[in-house]
Structures are given as C-alpha cells and as structure tokens.
C-alpha cells in the first residue's frame, strides 16, 4: 500500500469511528474536506433519526444525496445548539490546537463547532504535529481589503472563488511560536472575518487513524 493510500485509509477509519458516536435524536454538525466526506456514507448507513448542519455547500449536497437530513444554519430559526460536530483538520498539536481551513470553509466550520456540545476532530496520523506551522487560513472582508492586507503583513491570496458568505480566502504565511497569541492578534485585525486557528477549549476529542486502528485522544483544553 502506498503512503497516500495509507493516509486515505486512516482518514476513513477515523471517520467510521466518529460515525459510531452519533446517536438517535442528535443535531450533528458535518465538516468539510476529504476526511469529513468519509463520515457521510457510514453515518447514512446507520439510518438514525438525526438532523444535520453542513459547513459547506459541498457537504450539504453530498449529505442530502445520501439521504441525510440537512437543516439551515441561517437566521433565527436555525438550531442554536448542536449535540456534536465532526470535522477534519490540517494540523493538530499536542495541546489540541488545530489549524483548519485548507478547504477555505473555516468560518462556517468554527461557527458550527462553537455551537456544539462536543467537537470531534477526525484525522490521519500525519496531521498530528509537534508544532503548528504556517500557512494559517484566513477569510477576509472584500470591503477595505487593501488596508486589511497592509495590516496583516505576510498574506497570500488564494486563487479560489469567494466563500459562500462573500469572504476572500487567503493564508497568513508569517512564522509564529504561540498559537494563542497569533489567534488573538488575527481576531483583532479589522477586516479579518475569521482565521483557521481553533483553540483546545473548542475540541472534545481527536480521533486519529493509525494503520488499521483508531486512537482516541480526549482534549481537556
Ligand atoms: C476545510 C477544513 C478541512 O477539515 C481540512 O482542510 C482538512 O481537510 P482534509 O480532510 O481534506 O485533509 O478545515 O476548511
């Protein structure tokens, strides 16, 4: 088996284990990306009585095609509280800090994770790192973009369409040692809609696919 095949198998194992955590009656947040995509078939196969909130149009469409009920997360009628959200990550450090947003969906992903009792992260073993590294995904307001870029410094704009909420997707490429300090600073820069650093307080558990098995790492934040 090639290294790429092994990574895909680990993503799938972690996603299958996470699907088993979902229970009847839950409202469940569905992440975005290739690992989160592996969650949908085993979740649909369980035929549970659940309703889901999707973090991207792609996830919404894929879930609906499998018969999973997806409800809107827009406006006052949207669920204010979710029981569980399951999503992938680009990097996970030993404290449980995450880098997310490789797919540019981090604004919606963070809003859904923040509304959830339990945020379950599913990753292949190569995503576990000793120290988070740039780039850190950003969503920026189009309005005043030149000024926002000047305030941020080292940023690369992605050559992709805007987010579903109209934001410009970019990456902060500066080096950093302290994820909390960078997260606080990015959150305070006018024009930054959201960044891809997720703190350990947001994370309940990381499920890591390792070979044929899955390691469950509780995060106490
Ligand atoms: C999308 C994300 C993804 O969860 C992250 O990029 C990991 O993606 P993949 O599972 O494809 O490796 O944050 O915005």
């Amino acid at each position: 088996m090639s290294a790429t095949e092994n990574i895909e198998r680990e993503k799938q194992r972690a996603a299958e284990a996470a699907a088993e955590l979902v229970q009847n009656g839950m409202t469940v947040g569905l992440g975005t990306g290739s690992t989160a995509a592996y969650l949908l078939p085993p979740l649909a196969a369980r035929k549970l009585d659940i309703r889901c909130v999707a973090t991207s149009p792609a996830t919404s469409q894929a879930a609906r095609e499998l018969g999973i009920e997806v409800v809107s997360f827009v406006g006052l009628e949207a669920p204010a509280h979710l029981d569980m959200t399951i999503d992938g990550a680009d990097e996970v450090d030993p404290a449980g800090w995450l880098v997310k947003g490789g797919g540019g969906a981090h604004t919606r992903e963070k809003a859904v994770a923040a509304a959830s009792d339990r945020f379950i992260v599913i990753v292949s073993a190569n995503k576990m790192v000793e120290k988070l590294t740039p780039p850190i995904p950003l969503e920026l307001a189009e309005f005043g973009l030149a000024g926002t870029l000047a305030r941020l410094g080292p940023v690369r704009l992605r050559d992709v369409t805007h987010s579903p909420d109209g934001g410009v997707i970019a990456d902060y490429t500066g080096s950093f040692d302290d994820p909390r300090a960078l997260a606080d600073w990015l959150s305070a820069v006018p024009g930054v809609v959201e960044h891809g650093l997720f703190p350990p307080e947001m994370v309940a558990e990381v499920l890591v696919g390792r070979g044929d098995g899955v390691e469950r790492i509780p995060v106490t934040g």
Side-chain angles (χ1 to χ4, degrees):
M1 182 184 297
S2 71
T4 308
E5 285 168 342
N6 190 49
I7 287 170
E8 291 306 308
R9 187 180 60 164
E10 290 182 346
K11 291 178 181 182
Q12 192 167 0
R13 293 282 183 276
E16 287 167 352
E20 291 299 317
L21 302 179
V22 178
Q23 293 173 7
N24 258 328
M26 282 186 167
T27 302
V28 182
L30 304 174
T32 293
S34 59
T35 316
Y38 283 125
L39 169 71
L40 302 179
L43 187 59
R46 293 191 61 204
K47 299 197 178 306
L48 297 170
D49 179 16
I50 56 173
R51 59 179 189 159
C52 294
V53 168
T55 53
S56 64
T59 295
S60 178
Q61 185 181 340
R64 285 192 166 121
E65 282 172 6
L66 289 165
I68 295 172
E69 181 186 350
V70 178
V71 298
S72 172
F73 202 53
V74 176
L76 295 174
E77 302 305 316
H81 156 262
L82 286 76
D83 297 290
M84 180 181 287
T85 284
I86 302 168
D87 199 354
D90 300 303
E91 289 187 337
V92 182
D93 86 357
W97 273 93
L98 314 178
V99 175
K100 285 188 50 55
H106 50 283
T107 299
R108 290 189 174 195
E109 290 171 335
K110 196 178 279 187
V112 171
S116 303
D117 283 349
R118 292 181 73 201
F119 178 37
I120 309 291
V121 178
I122 48 176
V123 288
S124 46
N126 64 314
K127 303 283 187 69
M128 305 301 289
V129 298
E130 275 309 307
K131 186 177 179 302
L132 301 184
T133 52
I136 302 300
L138 299 173
E139 180 166 344
L140 308 174
E142 175 91 67
F143 188 86
L145 183 61
T148 304
L149 292 175
R151 284 187 284 277
L152 283 168
V155 169
R156 193 171 51 218
L157 294 177
R158 282 194 215 172
D159 187 15
V160 296
T161 52
H162 287 190
S163 81
D165 305 299
V168 174
I169 303 299
D171 291 289
Y172 180 79
T173 57
S175 60
F176 64 96
D177 286 321
D178 180 354
R180 192 172 301 278
L182 180 60
D184 289 349
W185 179 71
L186 289 171
S187 294
V189 174
V192 174
V193 176
E194 194 51 88
H195 58 77
L197 285 166
F198 285 46
E201 306 88 89
M202 210 173 250
V203 181
E205 200 172 345
V206 183
L207 305 191
V208 187
R210 282 192 194 282
D212 275 333
V214 176
E215 182 186 0
R216 292 182 64 164
I217 305 175
V219 177
T220 46

